């Protein structure tokens, strides 16, 4: 029986996906570089906290940074060596800024720290322990977003019906998931069983775009061998962005993830195939996430996929594939639609790096943006939008600075897939406008919150001052009253005494008068 | 060497406004060829003259507005405006009619509103409406169907021929003729059957022109230059209006086929109403917008004071487009039915 699929609106069918170039050669390990630079923050959420100091010797797989909060991930030494620096280095980020990193000089021995396999007993482990194992292995989404995987494996109270393995790999040029599925199908399927156990999901759907027949065949073979029940490899139409999480879920289930919700709220959890492979290695071999497969393609002599240690500088990979880093016009980390252009040649590979796309000025499909004309409202963008937004309106309001309107037109539902930008005949940098508008809105929101906080503080201060004033006044009043009472008490005593004195005086005087009257006059009228 | 670090996406489709406009011009060619076949070279003279004038006016306005000349002069939008205007006015209209129309469209309706992308009204139709209101005699003196050679056409257009010469080569349009005859209490069938002006469905020349513009328009839809919604909604609503009244009284109201094959319907449906800048852009909005035009075309043709209603119908719906768009926002993914 053929599974019913649903088609999301919009999307792009590219003329040339440029996938053949990099799938001709076998995947090999990239040479060990002289220096590995490991940013503490290479995932969504909070960056890790360094556990090592310069001079420390580390073993392969030894934790070198720990997760600091729920949405965070630890980091491990990709090979044995010496920590030479813990501090700011240039990192691969669209901002081009520097961030805290751990720098390791490999010793070439590649000596492993002790590992523990749970190949036999993971089925007896409870989901929480399993999640912890995956968390400690530092595994984050390897498809590009980099969300800590164990968080997704915690469905809370939501029952999970379906686990979707995302092998769509819908962006042009990228082929690392394709190659992984061809060559390590068994590991991915075993990994899916681990995840399904952690989630208690009923079925697994492995979605692969139909332009990857070899991967589909390999995965079907592995499913047949290892998990013939409740697991199905589904060939989905090649249509960018079919691998977008919400788009893929819709394609397979016909259900839309609510705008303000998560896939798990409709009973679905999505994991990338490479992430699933990493989970397999963590559970079966006790290997944390130390390396990944990635595609080096575009303007290099030998486009191919490599197994690369995290922290390896990009220029060494380009050189290894026969490219000349100094001749690059642009180096894109990620795909041509959603990747970002690097600010330096020697930035390190991180957990989310799935592709190094080299533009040496001779790639016709990476020609660069032409002169931007005014929007003619042709609506090609709206036809291409997989979220059914009106990109022409969002652009209009973003450039006019009317951010309330942007939100009214659901700017934050934009997934920045770039479809609108790709088809725009006016060559407008639409996605850049949306990022700018989102940034401005966040900034305003923060400012508003800060202003709110400041207002509350100020009001509380006024209230406190008022209260203190009142308290002081009350105290003063009290004191005064007390003082007044005291003085009046003293006064009473004096008055009494005075009265007594006066009375005594009066008595004395009276006595004296009486004595004088009673005494016969010494001389008198007798 | 410092690296180029633009924002994503890094890949772009091979498309441009110039490409879009050239395809529109290309799609007009079958209709223009039919013009030449039916009426001779007048239309070619007009198109060439109007193109030069439009580019000149565009360049002047760009200079005044301090905009770069090259990208805007080569975007093709001024030429499209000029051509649509020429195809709406009589092919042997005097040169100053064309000139006033083009200048009105480019200078006033386009650049004074902010140039490409900012005009709320279809520039060609603003030019046409201005001409029709200001010079009704010249604008309704349609050329009789006889092919003129280049010299004849040019002299008619540029040399202000005497009235008798002009009268010899002009005639009422079939729709005008039908309207006046209906006013004389004749039935539709009588009029159409007894006049050499009419062919199978409508005016002999008009049905051919409309067919050619229909073909060009269908090609534009196939090329994804225009959406199907506006033309389909406009033609459907016009046909439904015509059908209702035709069924009610076939003697006084012409058939849907007559209306679809008459006047500027196909040119309007596929080339004028679909001008993206001034039309609705949401899918549902385009249906409403197109339907509104179709209904107004019928109303103006049947009861209004002008022979054809496409220009006024389009301009009236241009006014409504922003409001229509506001109330027809598509349901965003993941937002339920209410919003």
């Amino acid at each position: 029986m053929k599974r019913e699929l649903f088609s999301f609106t919009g999307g792009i069918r590219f003329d040339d996906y440029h996938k053949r170039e990099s799938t001709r050669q076998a995947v090999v390990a990239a040479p060990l570089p002289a220096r590995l630079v490991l940013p503490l923050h290479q995932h969504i959420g909070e960056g890790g906290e360094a556990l090592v100091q310069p001079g420390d010797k580390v073993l392969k797989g030894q934790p070198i940074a720990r997760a600091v909060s729920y949405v965070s991930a630890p980091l491990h030494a990709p090979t044995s060596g010496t920590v030479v620096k813990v501090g700011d280095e240039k990192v691969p980020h669209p901002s081009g800024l520097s961030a805290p990193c751990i720098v390791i000089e490999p010793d070439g021995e590649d000596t492993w720290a002790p590992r523990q396999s749970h190949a036999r007993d993971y089925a007896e482990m409870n989901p929480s322990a399993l999640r912890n194992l995956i968390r400690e292995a530092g595994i984050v989404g390897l498809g590009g977003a980099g969300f800590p995987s164990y968080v997704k494996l915690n469905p809370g109270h939501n029952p999970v019906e379906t686990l979707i393995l995302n092998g769509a790999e819908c962006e042009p040029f990228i082929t690392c998931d394709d190659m992984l599925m061809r060559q390590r199908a068994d590991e991915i399927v075993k990994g899916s069983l681990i995840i399904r156990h952690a989630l208690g999901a009923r079925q697994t759907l492995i979605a692969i775009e139909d332009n990857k027949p070899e991967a589909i065949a390999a995965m079907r073979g592995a499913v047949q061998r290892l998990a013939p029940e409740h697991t199905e490899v589904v060939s989905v139409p090649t249509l960018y962005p079919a691998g977008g999480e919400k788009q893929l879920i819709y394609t397979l289930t016909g259900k839309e993830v609510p705008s303000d919700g998560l896939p798990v709220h409709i009973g679905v959890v999505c994991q990338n195939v490479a992430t699933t492979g990493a989970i397999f290695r963590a559970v079966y071999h006790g290997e944390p996430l130390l390396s990944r497969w990635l595609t080096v393609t575009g303007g290099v002599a030998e486009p191919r996929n490599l197994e690369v240690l995290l922290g390896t500088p990009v220029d060494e990979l380009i050189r290894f594939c026969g490219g000349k880093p100094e001749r690059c016009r642009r180096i894109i980390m990620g795909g041509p639609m959603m990747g970002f252009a690097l600010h330096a040649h020697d930035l390190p590979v991180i957990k989310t790096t799935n592709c190094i796309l080299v533009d040496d000025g001779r790639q016709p499909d990476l020609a660069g943006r032409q002169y931007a004309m005014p929007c003619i409202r042709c609506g090609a963008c709206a036809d291409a939008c997989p979220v059914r937004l009106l990109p022409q309106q969002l652009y209009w309001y973003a450039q006019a600075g009317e951010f309330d309107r942007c939100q009214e037109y659901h700017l934050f539902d934009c997934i920045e897939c770039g479809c609108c930008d790709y088809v725009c005949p006016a060559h407008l940098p639409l996605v850049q406008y949306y990022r700018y508008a989102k940034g401005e809105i966040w900034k305003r929101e923060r400012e508003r919150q800060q202003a709110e906080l400041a207002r509350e503080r100020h009001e509380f201060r006024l209230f406190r001052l008022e209260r203190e004033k009142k308290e002081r006044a009350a105290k003063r009043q009290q004191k005064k009253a007390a003082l007044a009472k005291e003085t009046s008490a003293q006064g009473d005593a004096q008055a009494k005494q005075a009265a007594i004195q006066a009375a005594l005086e009066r008595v004395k005087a009276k006595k004296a008068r009486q004595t004088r009257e009673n005494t016969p006059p010494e001389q008198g009228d007798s | 060497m410092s690296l180029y670090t633009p924002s994503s996406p890094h890949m772009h489709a091979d498309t441009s406004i110039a490409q879009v406009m050239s395809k529109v011009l290309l799609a007009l060619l079958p209709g223009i060829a039919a013009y030449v076949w039916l009426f001779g070279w007048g239309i070619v003279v007009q198109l060439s003259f109007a193109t030069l004038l439009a580019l000149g006016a565009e360049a002047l306005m760009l200079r005044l507005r301090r905009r770069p000349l090259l990208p805007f002069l080569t975007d093709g939008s001024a030429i499209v405006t000029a051509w649509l205007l020429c195809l709406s006015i009589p092919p042997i209209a005097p040169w100053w009619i064309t000139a006033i129309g083009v200048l009105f469209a480019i200078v006033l309706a386009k650049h004074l509103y902010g140039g490409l992308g900012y005009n709320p009204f279809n520039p060609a139709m603003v030019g046409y409406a201005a001409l029709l209101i200001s010079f009704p005699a010249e604008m309704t003196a349609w050329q009789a169907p006889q092919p003129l050679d280049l010299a004849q056409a040019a002299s008619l257009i540029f040399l202000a021929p005497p009235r008798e010469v002009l009268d010899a080569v002009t005639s009422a349009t079939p729709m005008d003729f039908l309207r006046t005859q209906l006013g004389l209490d004749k039935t539709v069938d009588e009029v159409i059957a007894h006049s050499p002006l009419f062919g199978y469905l409508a005016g002999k020349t008009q049905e051919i022109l409309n067919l050619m513009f229909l073909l060009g328009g269908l090609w534009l839809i196939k090329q994804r230059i225009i959406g199907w919604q506006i033309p389909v909604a406009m033609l459907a609503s016009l046909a439904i209006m015509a059908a209702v009244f035709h069924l009610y009284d076939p003697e006084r109201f012409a058939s849907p086929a007559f209306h679809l094959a008459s006047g500027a319907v196909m040119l309007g449906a596929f080339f004028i109403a679909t001008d993206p800048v001034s039309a609705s852009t949401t899918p549902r909005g385009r249906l409403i917008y197109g339907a509104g035009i179709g209904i107004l075309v019928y109303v103006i043709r049947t009861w209004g004071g002008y022979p054809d209603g496409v220009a006024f119908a389009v301009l009236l719906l241009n006014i409504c487009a922003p409001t229509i768009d506001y109330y027809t926002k598509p349901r965003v993914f993941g937002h339920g039915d209410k919003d």
Side-chain angles (χ1 to χ4, degrees):
Chain A
M1 191 195 82
K2 195 138 166 61
R3 172 173 289 274
E4 187 195 0
L5 295 179
F6 303 83
S7 29
F8 59 89
T9 49
I12 308 276
R13 268 183 200 86
F14 298 101
D15 294 333
D16 188 349
Y17 273 80
H18 297 284
K19 298 225 184 211
R20 271 187 309 276
E21 293 92 316
S22 55
T23 49
R24 288 192 203 118
Q25 308 224 28
V27 181
V28 294
L32 188 68
R35 197 166 168 263
L36 293 167
V37 178
L38 298 142
L40 290 173
H41 194 186
Q42 30 185 301
H43 49 262
I44 287 179
E46 269 191 274
E49 191 182 85
L51 297 170
V52 289
Q53 283 170 350
D56 286 0
K57 297 265 184 239
V58 289
L59 294 174
K60 181 175 189 168
Q62 176 185 332
I64 53 174
R66 64 180 191 89
V68 294
S69 61
Y70 185 62
V71 185
S72 183
L75 197 59
H76 304 79
T79 184
S80 58
T82 313
V83 176
V84 293
K85 179 179 173 184
V86 178
D88 280 3
E89 287 276 316
K90 284 178 293 180
V91 296
H93 189 269
S95 67
L97 297 175
S98 297
C101 295
I102 295 171
V103 183
I104 293 176
E105 267 179 18
D107 58 13
E109 304 291 324
D110 212 29
T111 322
W112 271 100
R115 282 168 284 173
Q116 193 188 359
S117 166
H118 291 278
R120 288 173 210 289
D121 63 346
Y122 84 81
E124 279 89 57
M125 289 168 79
N126 70 33
S128 165
L130 200 50
R131 274 200 299 278
N132 210 34
L133 200 102
I134 291 164
R135 173 187 163 104
E136 290 309 319
I139 295 170
V140 304
L142 299 182
F147 194 77
S149 301
Y150 75 95
V151 179
K152 273 188 171 180
L153 297 185
N154 185 3
H157 299 298
N158 303 287
V160 178
E161 160 79 13
T162 307
L163 164 67
I164 293 177
L165 291 201
N166 189 344
E169 202 166 53
C170 58
E171 274 207 69
F173 287 101
I174 312 177
T175 56
C176 58
D177 286 352
D178 184 4
M179 294 305 275
L180 192 74
M181 288 188 286
R182 292 188 201 186
Q183 297 186 11
R184 295 198 176 163
D186 285 13
E187 296 189 2
I188 297 170
V189 173
K190 284 181 188 165
S192 79
L193 294 174
I194 300 171
I195 300 175
R196 206 163 80 194
H197 170 65
L199 290 170
R202 196 181 63 80
Q203 59 165 352
T204 305
L205 301 177
I206 305 173
I208 307 171
E209 272 193 349
D210 58 14
N211 62 356
K212 295 181 254 302
E214 296 92 341
I216 293 174
M219 292 298 291
R220 288 211 166 123
V223 167
Q224 203 67 45
R225 280 194 300 280
L226 300 165
E229 276 171 26
H230 308 299
T231 300
E232 186 185 340
V233 175
V234 186
S235 159
V236 299
T238 300
L239 176 67
Y240 178 80
E245 190 173 65
K246 292 182 174 187
Q247 281 66 40
L248 189 62
I249 292 171
Y250 184 77
T251 303
L252 293 175
T253 66
K255 287 193 249 181
E256 292 183 10
V257 178
S259 167
D260 51 358
L262 294 171
V264 73
H265 296 148
I266 55 168
V268 178
V269 169
C270 247
Q271 291 284 2
N272 166 270
V273 286
T275 316
T276 310
I279 289 174
F280 162 81
R281 299 190 81 79
V283 173
Y284 273 62
H285 302 306
E287 288 179 22
L289 184 63
L290 307 179
S291 65
R292 63 160 299 145
W293 287 23
L294 59 80
T295 310
V296 182
T297 185
V300 291
E302 281 181 44
R304 67 189 308 168
N305 282 281
L306 298 172
E307 181 168 1
V308 180
L309 291 185
L310 301 178
T312 306
V314 164
D315 54 352
E316 295 198 14
L317 300 177
I318 296 173
R319 229 170 265 129
F320 181 72
C321 293
K324 295 191 174 62
E326 60 285 354
R327 291 247 188 97
C328 292
R329 184 170 74 127
R330 171 171 48 168
I331 302 172
I332 299 158
M333 188 172 274
M337 295 301 284
M338 294 185 73
F340 58 94
L342 297 179
H343 287 76
H345 301 83
D346 55 352
L347 298 179
V349 165
I350 57 173
K351 291 176 180 178
T352 52
T353 308
N354 51 5
C355 182
I356 301 296
L357 176 54
V358 175
D359 166 20
D360 58 356
R362 282 179 293 183
Q363 307 297 311
D365 273 346
L366 301 174
R369 198 178 287 281
Q370 296 177 47
Y371 182 83
M373 298 284 285
C375 170
I376 56 167
R377 301 175 60 74
C378 63
C381 49
D383 292 341
C385 181
V387 190
R388 283 193 299 272
L389 296 168
L390 293 173
Q392 71 273 35
Q393 299 302 114
L394 288 172
Y395 159 72
W396 181 263
Y397 294 125
Q399 64 146 12
E402 293 182 46
F403 301 120
D404 291 349
R405 286 290 199 153
C406 287
Q407 282 180 284
E408 192 186 318
Y409 279 82
H410 304 296
L411 173 66
F412 284 95
D413 284 285
C414 170
I415 57 171
E416 298 180 19
C417 64
C419 288
C420 52
D421 203 316
Y422 178 85
V423 299
C424 179
H427 310 125
L428 289 162
L430 295 171
V431 176
Q432 199 177 349
Y433 272 102
Y434 307 150
R435 288 204 191 103
Y436 156 74
K438 285 179 183 175
E440 284 297 306
I441 292 167
W442 282 324
K443 204 173 95 190
R444 285 180 182 204
E445 187 62 25
R446 263 199 310 277
E447 279 168 6
R448 202 186 57 72
Q449 278 174 359
Q450 274 165 1
E452 185 71 11
L453 196 68
R455 192 182 59 76
E456 277 173 16
R457 274 192 190 151
H458 178 68
E459 279 177 1
F460 181 73
R461 181 167 175 271
L462 289 182
F463 166 75
R464 181 172 55 83
L465 289 179
E466 186 65 20
R467 191 189 62 199
E468 283 173 0
K469 207 165 123 192
K470 273 189 192 149
E471 279 172 2
R472 269 203 307 275
K475 249 185 201 154
R476 221 173 19 244
Q477 201 67 38
Q478 232 174 353
K479 250 186 186 157
K480 219 164 147 186
L483 201 72
K485 215 170 158 189
E486 210 174 296
T487 43
S488 72
Q490 255 174 13
D492 282 358
Q494 275 172 358
K496 232 180 204 165
Q497 207 138 25
I500 294 168
Q501 195 69 35
L504 283 175
E505 304 268 315
R506 268 200 309 276
V507 172
K508 248 187 204 164
K510 209 177 176 177
K511 265 188 183 160
R513 213 170 33 244
Q514 270 174 356
T515 333
R516 227 181 9 252
E517 277 169 17
N518 294 342
T519 329
E522 281 164 61
Q523 66 221 110
D525 43 14
S526 54
Chain B
M1 193 178 97
S2 85
L3 290 165
Y4 171 50
T5 56
S7 176
S8 71
H10 305 279
M11 220 173 145
H12 301 278
D14 176 25
T15 173
S16 65
I17 293 180
Q19 220 179 78
V20 170
M21 296 296 170
S22 349
K23 283 190 177 166
V24 173
L25 295 177
L26 210 61
L28 285 169
L29 290 182
I32 293 170
Y35 254 98
V36 174
W37 181 54
L38 294 166
F39 299 102
W41 291 90
I43 190 70
V44 177
V45 175
Q46 297 281 19
L47 289 174
S48 319
F49 174 59
T51 301
L52 290 176
L53 199 62
L55 288 175
E58 179 91 359
L60 180 74
M61 291 312 288
L62 287 170
R63 180 56 64 81
L64 287 176
R65 294 179 54 228
R66 289 170 210 195
R67 294 292 190 280
L69 284 185
L70 191 70
F72 286 98
L73 268 186
T74 53
D75 68 19
S77 62
I79 305 178
V80 169
T81 300
W83 284 27
L84 291 178
L85 182 78
C86 286
L87 292 171
S88 310
I89 64 181
I92 49 162
W95 65 271
W96 51 268
I97 286 276
T98 316
I100 292 174
V102 166
L103 293 177
F104 213 86
I106 299 287
V107 176
L108 219 88
K110 185 178 180 186
H111 279 286
L112 291 193
Y113 280 99
L116 179 69
Y118 292 90
N119 47 292
F121 299 104
N122 184 318
M125 289 304 100
V126 172
Y128 174 84
L131 290 173
L132 187 60
I133 294 166
S134 315
F135 312 104
E138 284 81 1
M139 288 294 284
T140 47
W142 203 263
Q143 185 191 340
Q146 53 182 22
L148 301 173
D149 64 33
L150 202 54
Q152 284 173 315
S155 72
L156 282 173
I157 294 168
F158 289 107
L159 299 178
R163 188 99 222 140
E164 313 85 73
V165 179
L166 217 51
D167 283 347
V169 292
T170 57
S171 70
T173 66
M175 267 204 306
D176 254 345
F177 183 73
L178 177 65
R179 175 202 283 273
T180 38
Q181 294 295 306
L182 286 178
L184 301 171
D185 278 342
K186 295 205 177 145
T187 66
V188 173
D189 286 341
E190 268 179 312
V191 179
I192 291 180
H194 294 101
S195 166
L197 279 176
F198 295 94
Y200 295 101
L201 299 173
K204 242 185 212 161
T205 53
Q206 292 195 343
E207 57 191 23
I208 296 171
L209 289 176
N210 273 305
L211 179 67
M212 289 300 151
F213 287 126
L214 169 68
L215 292 178
L218 291 177
W219 181 75
L220 281 186
I221 292 180
K222 193 165 169 289
Q223 289 285 308
R224 295 176 167 270
I225 297 296
I226 58 173
W228 59 269
Q229 292 97 335
I230 293 176
V232 167
M234 171 175 160
L235 297 177
S237 68
L238 176 62
I240 290 167
M241 288 289 283
V244 168
F245 285 94
H246 184 65
L247 286 177
Y248 166 70
D249 186 353
E251 296 197 345
R252 276 169 49 218
F253 298 100
S255 67
F258 175 88
H259 275 282
L260 289 180
S262 288
V265 165
M266 294 300 169
L267 183 68
F270 291 96
F271 295 90
I272 295 171
T274 52
D275 162 40
V277 177
S278 54
S280 276
T281 66
T282 63
R284 269 189 306 148
R286 284 173 175 169
L287 288 175
I288 296 171
Y289 175 87
I293 293 176
I295 292 168
L296 277 181
V297 166
Y298 188 81
V299 169
I300 297 172
R301 274 182 176 178
T302 313
W303 298 287
Y306 289 98
D308 199 355
V310 173
F312 291 107
V314 168
L315 290 174
L316 286 170
L317 263 294
N318 284 168
I319 301 176
C320 309
T323 314
I324 296 174
D325 279 352
Y326 184 80
Y327 286 106
T328 54
K329 283 178 266 182
R331 183 184 69 78
V332 172
F333 187 95
H335 271 275
D337 291 326
K338 58 194 185 306
D339 192 59

